[in-house]
Amino acid sequence: MDNKSDTLNVGKERIVQVFEYLKALNEHRNPAKRQIREQPWALWYSDLPDHPAIMLGAGLQKPSETDNESAVLDEDFVLRVRRPNLTPSPSPPDELRQWLRSGWEDPENEDIRWIESRNELDEEGETIVVAFTEDSTRLELLESWQAKRHQWRVNEIPARHARRVFERLHELHGKMERESEKLDLVLGDGILSWKRQDGGIFHPILIQRVQMVFDPSVPEFTIADSDYGVELYTALFQSITDVAPQSLANCRSELDSGNYHPLSDYTSAYLKRFVMTLSSHAEFLDNRRPPVESEVPVIGRSPVLFLRSRTMGFSSAIEKVLHTIRERSDFCTGLMNIVGMESAPSLEESSAEPTRYVSSNLSATEILFGKEANPEQIRIAKRLEKYGSVLV
């Protein structure tokens, strides 16, 4: 038992070293991005217009007295954006149109510009200068039309902003279809702002992978949670020596057990506890974005959708593997063999003893390959079934 225990401990230590190497190699090849602006694409929830075409997911819609809990806590999506209908500006009277300068059709232009004066011919064919303000009827028409246009602007500007959000998502959808193997769409919150000599930080620390679905019949984009759990962006702190690794590990364990979603209100308590592990002078801001690169660590609540490279997920995966390894008491033969603690007969050795497989219950017809297999591949499958690993 002692020899077996010693073998397990040595093998465990070596497996940890292998994954620590993979972790360091990944960090060298894919350094963690510290600034949200460095990501390929980002859309802040706080920048979304207030318009019926844009619906926010659970935790962001404030309940009214008539709302019930099930309606408020509906978690089918984190963001839904329809294409809003746009309307043109009310047309000016014909008496005004020839005096107006270009730009009155755009709702973003609050002030209407007109020609102060222009040259006209009188009844005798002489050139005279006519001022815009000298005709009281023209001024009355302008005032009446401006009132109609103002009301149109109030309603139209949010629709135009919502349309731009829809167009951004449409462009993003095409980009993700072209580069689906390289990019992930994620939802982040818990914006950490921290000015440091080794490089400032302004990036979400809670990350949830999401998926985008486009319904062209509406048309509408729906962004919903994927099957992956919420990640703690610990790669930010790999080069920060004054943050205790054990504290990060404890926060990661709490996140795994607590299921703190980036949009949930109760996540604020978790973020308050997390920021205090960074510094005794740290601060937490609820429902607002922190200032860029604060002198002390500051975490604020401000959800943001962004694209990230798929390689950025390796760090979180390796961290979870290392955490699992340290808690395990047994490992598969193949993994122990990789670190030199177990040995399995090689394929060449097995070929010298073909009768070793006579007793195997696994027949060639029971081995499922994606394509037609040759005899060597079938032999490998039989060895895997009998020994758990094979050296080819």
Side-chain angles (χ1 to χ4, degrees), residues 299-310:
I299 288 182
R301 298 296 306 272
S302 184
V304 57
L305 280 171
F306 64 96
L307 281 181
R308 69 172 182 181
S309 171
R310 284 209 164 181

Side-chain angles (χ1 to χ4, degrees), residues 117-234:
S117 63
R118 66 181 188 179
N119 297 334
E120 293 184 1
L121 297 176
D122 61 11
E123 297 177 354
E124 299 177 357
E126 296 292 331
T127 300
I128 59 174
V129 177
V130 179
F132 178 81
T133 57
E134 70 180 39
D135 188 340
S136 59
T137 303
R138 194 157 47 229
L139 294 177
E140 291 175 0
L141 290 173
L142 176 64
E143 183 178 358
S144 176
W145 176 70
Q146 277 186 315
K148 294 180 181 178
R149 184 181 180 276
H150 172 75
Q151 188 57 51
W152 168 77
R153 285 186 67 252
V154 171
N155 299 328
E156 189 68 14
I157 288 178
R160 299 289 177 105
H161 291 178
R163 184 64 170 261
R164 284 196 285 269
V165 172
F166 179 88
E167 291 170 352
R168 288 193 65 191
L169 291 178
H170 193 277
E171 181 180 357
L172 174 66
H173 185 259
K175 181 179 180 67
M176 293 192 65
E177 285 192 330
R178 295 189 302 270
E179 305 179 43
S180 59
E181 297 181 356
K182 300 178 181 179
L183 300 171
D184 281 328
L185 181 62
V186 298
L187 172 67
D189 198 5
I191 313 300
L192 173 62
S193 177
W194 195 1
K195 184 178 181 180
R196 297 183 55 84
Q197 292 183 351
D198 56 350
I201 298 174
F202 192 80
H203 199 282
I205 62 167
L206 288 185
I207 296 174
Q208 168 68 55
R209 286 180 61 176
V210 295
Q211 55 188 353
M212 176 189 294
V213 178
F214 178 51
D215 183 358
S217 63
V218 178
E220 176 184 78
F221 286 102
T222 300
I223 299 175
D225 289 341
S226 67
D227 295 333
Y228 296 88
V230 180
E231 304 173 22
L232 183 63
Y233 192 28
T234 54

Side-chain angles (χ1 to χ4, degrees), residues 30-171:
N30 307 291
K33 295 188 183 300
R34 295 186 166 205
Q35 301 287 334
I36 187 67
R37 65 172 181 268
E38 297 174 354
Q39 301 292 0
W41 184 94
L43 175 64
W44 292 92
Y45 273 45
S46 59
D47 294 338
L48 295 174
D50 184 9
H51 190 272
I54 296 181
M55 291 165 280
L56 304 180
L60 289 184
Q61 299 191 62
K62 299 187 181 299
S64 65
E65 296 180 355
T66 57
D67 287 333
N68 56 52
E69 185 177 1
S70 61
V72 176
L73 299 181
D74 181 13
E75 297 183 357
D76 290 340
F77 64 93
V78 297
L79 180 65
R80 182 169 289 157
V81 179
R82 295 183 179 181
R83 186 179 66 185
N85 295 323
L86 305 183
T87 58
S89 168
S91 298
D94 293 338
E95 296 86 343
L96 291 178
R97 186 182 293 272
Q98 57 185 340
W99 288 89
L100 296 178
R101 296 187 183 274
S102 61
W104 58 266
E105 307 95 336
D106 188 353
E108 301 290 346
N109 295 330
E110 180 178 3
D111 297 326
I112 300 172
R113 299 182 304 153
W114 57 80
I115 301 172
E116 296 293 340
S117 63
R118 66 181 188 179
N119 297 334
E120 293 184 1
L121 297 176
D122 61 11
E123 297 177 354
E124 299 177 357
E126 296 292 331
T127 300
I128 59 174
V129 177
V130 179
F132 178 81
T133 57
E134 70 180 39
D135 188 340
S136 59
T137 303
R138 194 157 47 229
L139 294 177
E140 291 175 0
L141 290 173
L142 176 64
E143 183 178 358
S144 176
W145 176 70
Q146 277 186 315
K148 294 180 181 178
R149 184 181 180 276
H150 172 75
Q151 188 57 51
W152 168 77
R153 285 186 67 252
V154 171
N155 299 328
E156 189 68 14
I157 288 178
R160 299 289 177 105
H161 291 178
R163 184 64 170 261
R164 284 196 285 269
V165 172
F166 179 88
E167 291 170 352
R168 288 193 65 191
L169 291 178
H170 193 277
E171 181 180 357

